[in-house]
Amino acid sequence: LLSDARLGENVLIGLSIFSIGLFKKMVIADNFALHASPVFSAAQAGADIHALEAFRGVAAYTLQIYFDFSGYSDMAIGLGRCFGIRLPANFNSPYRAGNIIEFWRCWHMTLSQFLRDYLYIPLGGNRLGRARRYLNLFLTMLIGGLWHGASWAFVFWGALHGLYLVINHAWNRVVGHYAFLRLPLWVGRVLTMIAVMFAWVFFRAESFEAAAHLLRAFLIIPVEGVASEFAHLTSLGLEVVETKIRSDDTLYFWLFPVFLMMCWWLPNTQQIFAQTQPTAESLDRPIALLPRQERKGWMVWKPSTGWGIFVGLAAAASMLSLQRVSEFLYFQF
């Protein structure tokens, strides 16, 4: 049995983690959903969509699913800690990944470990040669996509990530022989984000046809003026339409990079609470701590007045958002 002091410590840490996770879900993710859902619904209905609307929908969903899943993981870890249970880490800033291999080591980590142990290794893993290894990777992700739902869109999403992993492993082999081909980290991050965002379209769309319709919209350029003045764009395979450009459509050209930089550079919950050991230790890959989080500072959680106010405000903002309907994206899985 835990002593009263230890129990109080666990509840304090757990509620702090839970409150931060609830804020991510209710205040951040659900607000991005307000911009993502209408675009994907329009794509499902076959409505006319142009490139700016398509980008708004995909960018908003890219951030929605990140903060939704990150918040859900934090809430689960926080509730477990309230009862003295340390759950395994499930989310470790995957948008920081410099390649798709690293992305899957940090996104839905428990599912990745499950797929590895119960699909990839039983299929032969990397023990049967390079070609069979690539096939096993592809099949594992293909089945992982089907696990998310009986839809061709999910199957294609899994196949895309399987293909990404095969290309990534093959590229690593080439770079092993020709080191000058190694890409800078920021280039790897940008390419990884583009690949992940492209795949998210199929993950979010209600059907394969809706995903294809949304992707075609990126070839339709909206202009405020006479479309004939931009006729030169048609030579590039683009279509030009005259329309009123909404502020919401241009908003994400600066909002998305801002939030993406936050995902890249701000410490995640495991790093903020690192000194409290928030998650289980039985992980194949321990949570990496940024050097600045190993020192005491304002980004490291501690039972202080400042952190109490911050957590309290986060909880209050989340509670005020409970008046609207909220749905967990991963509930269906």
Side-chain angles (χ1 to χ4, degrees), residues 68-137:
D68 187 281
F69 196 21
S70 177
Y72 145 75
S73 299
D74 287 349
M75 284 187 278
I77 290 171
L79 284 178
R81 186 57 181 267
C82 287
F83 295 94
I85 301 171
R86 284 187 172 91
L87 296 176
N90 199 37
F91 200 85
N92 187 23
S93 300
Y95 285 175
R96 292 179 190 167
N99 54 64
I100 208 68
I101 296 174
E102 186 179 346
F103 173 84
W104 276 106
R105 287 173 179 166
C106 301
W107 181 280
H108 208 161
M109 298 160 69
T110 53
L111 175 63
S112 297
Q113 293 167 15
F114 176 87
L115 294 175
R116 180 200 62 196
D117 295 342
Y118 294 98
L119 281 176
Y120 178 69
I121 292 178
L123 284 171
N126 59 0
R127 304 187 302 274
L128 303 176
R130 191 181 314 127
R132 181 60 183 273
R133 179 193 187 189
Y134 293 161
L135 177 61
N136 292 341
L137 281 170

Side-chain angles (χ1 to χ4, degrees), residues 162-273:
L163 182 62
Y164 292 163
L165 287 172
V166 170
I167 294 174
N168 197 168
H169 280 280
W171 176 256
N172 286 349
R173 181 175 175 80
V174 172
V175 170
H177 293 286
Y178 305 99
F180 67 90
L181 294 175
R182 189 179 302 277
L183 299 175
L185 177 60
W186 71 269
V187 175
R189 280 180 172 172
V190 170
L191 292 177
T192 301
M193 279 304 307
I194 293 173
V196 169
M197 290 177 70
F198 179 78
W200 280 145
V201 174
F202 296 91
F203 190 87
R204 172 60 178 84
E206 297 179 30
S207 66
F208 188 89
E209 292 74 17
H213 181 77
L214 183 60
L215 290 173
R216 283 195 295 269
F218 280 94
L219 300 178
I220 303 175
I221 308 301
V223 296
E224 288 187 342
V226 181
S228 59
E229 296 179 359
F230 300 86
H232 61 282
L233 294 177
T234 59
S235 62
L236 302 176
L238 303 174
E239 179 183 348
V240 180
V241 296
E242 298 178 28
T243 186
K244 177 69 174 179
I245 298 178
R246 298 170 49 191
S247 59
D248 284 353
D249 294 333
T250 58
L251 172 67
Y252 278 82
F253 275 97
W254 66 266
L255 188 64
F256 179 70
V258 168
F259 272 85
L260 191 58
M261 290 297 176
M262 290 171 58
C263 296
W264 284 1
W265 301 115
L266 291 182
N268 58 39
T269 307
Q270 283 75 35
Q271 292 167 333
I272 292 173
F273 288 83

